Amino acid sequence: MSRILNEGQSKAKQNISALKVSLFPIFFLVIFFLANCRPSPVILLPLPSNIESIEGYASLRINGDQGSSRSKFSFSFLLPHQGRIEVSNILGRTLYQIIVTEERAAFIVPSKRVYWQGEEEEIIQYFLGFRLDLYEMINLLSGKWESKEMGHEAEEENEVWSFAKDERDRIMAGQRGEFRFEVKEFFADTPFARTLVFQHPVNYGRLKVLRINLNRPLKKGVFSLSVLERYEQKSWAEIEKILTDEN
């Protein structure tokens, strides 16, 4: 009986060894596949002398009087004034899209085939929780504030941007009225923000850029609003209800 058990154990060990050998190529292929499916590394250096387009992926966390929210979003910007933002939940499902052109700005809920058209500052306010125009949002990520005449300065409220710089002359903090932001981490030796925090009387949060690329060819029609011809226009109150039900 002992001999039979020993033989059985020996065969079991041989089978396990054979299984390990046969699984090794599969394990190697899985690791190789996962490694190649990770977001492409961020390559910003050397910075191009002229930035025409910016695209990437980021996460956003907002806390405020209405509770807290976490989301991820992809972004594509064609300077100076075209942008597309696609927001998804933590499970990767698309919640809504924002498309801004020089003529129009739309907030789109593709799952319901509906949209709302409004001022770009209003649309970005829903997304970030505070009013910015598109170029100011681009500047928030790129740190290139002085390259433009400060976009929308809310002159009627006598509010203008003020900035603080670090020892490398990069903008590390800024304020306009009651809105403040601070760059906690930069991408290497660039002025581009990797992580920034922001604060406003009604909310505060953190934005972290996970991937960013410059001057890559953008998809054809990425800023097209032709899809709206097939979608139904809604009021903002109706859009808010749809988003609440979706969540």
Side-chain angles (χ1 to χ4, degrees):
M1 177 66 71
S2 176
R3 180 182 175 185
I4 294 174
L5 289 174
N6 289 336
E7 289 178 353
Q9 290 174 351
S10 177
K11 288 182 178 179
K13 289 179 180 178
Q14 291 175 359
N15 290 338
I16 291 173
S17 298
L19 181 61
K20 287 181 179 179
V21 172
S22 63
L23 286 177
F24 180 77
I26 298 175
F27 177 76
F28 177 79
L29 288 172
V30 169
I31 295 298
F32 178 81
F33 176 78
L34 291 175
N36 283 277
C37 286
R38 290 182 302 176
S40 58
V42 178
I43 302 176
L44 290 177
L45 293 174
L47 284 175
S49 58
N50 183 35
I51 298 176
E52 298 178 352
S53 66
I54 305 173
E55 61 177 341
Y57 195 64
S59 64
L60 177 66
R61 185 179 69 210
I62 298 177
N63 299 281
D65 297 339
Q66 304 301 317
S68 62
S69 64
R70 296 178 62 185
S71 61
K72 292 184 177 181
F73 65 95
S74 61
F75 55 88
S76 300
F77 301 127
L78 182 64
L79 279 63
H81 213 89
Q82 292 188 79
R84 180 189 180 97
I85 299 168
E86 185 160 329
V87 179
S88 58
N89 61 18
I90 58 175
L91 299 177
R93 185 171 64 90
T94 298
L95 298 176
Y96 57 87
Q97 299 166 341
I98 293 171
I99 298 179
V100 177
T101 68
E102 294 182 354
E103 295 82 26
R104 302 171 69 187
F107 188 105
I108 306 165
V109 185
S111 62
K112 301 299 182 181
R113 301 175 71 85
V114 298
Y115 72 96
W116 173 66
Q117 185 169 313
E119 298 295 327
E120 65 183 73
E121 291 94 339
E122 294 177 299
I123 290 176
I124 293 175
Q125 181 175 14
Y126 179 84
F127 170 50
L128 292 177
F130 47 86
R131 291 178 71 91
L132 291 180
D133 66 26
L134 181 69
Y135 206 87
E136 287 171 328
M137 183 175 175
I138 294 171
N139 287 337
L140 198 65
L141 297 177
S142 68
K144 295 287 188 179
W145 292 91
E146 54 260 50
S147 65
K148 188 192 182 259
E149 316 136 355
M150 285 313 108
H152 131 88
E153 294 183 344
E155 293 179 359
E156 67 279 3
E157 299 175 13
N158 196 29
E159 293 181 355
V160 296
W161 284 103
S162 61
F163 302 100
K165 296 184 179 182
D166 66 7
E167 67 280 359
R168 299 183 184 180
D169 205 36
R170 299 178 299 188
I171 291 176
M172 58 179 293
Q175 178 176 351
R176 185 185 66 196
E178 295 181 306
F179 170 70
R180 301 176 179 86
F181 74 87
E182 180 183 354
V183 178
K184 292 295 187 180
E185 183 184 6
F186 291 97
F187 278 111
D189 295 322
T190 78
F192 280 77
R194 182 191 289 269
T195 304
L196 62 84
V197 295
F198 53 85
Q199 183 176 350
H200 191 272
V202 296
N203 56 43
Y204 63 94
R206 177 182 293 264
L207 189 154
K208 183 171 185 177
V209 180
L210 306 174
R211 175 171 58 84
I212 192 167
N213 297 106
L214 305 178
N215 293 352
R216 283 192 173 182
L218 300 177
K219 288 183 180 179
K220 185 178 180 180
V222 67
F223 307 116
S224 173
L225 288 169
S226 60
V227 68
L228 300 187
E229 298 173 3
R230 305 190 299 274
Y231 284 14
E232 183 180 358
Q233 185 170 2
K234 296 285 187 179
S235 68
W236 178 243
E238 291 173 311
I239 292 290
E240 279 191 305
K241 186 176 186 308
I242 288 171
L243 292 173
T244 301
D245 293 342
E246 286 280 286
N247 291 329

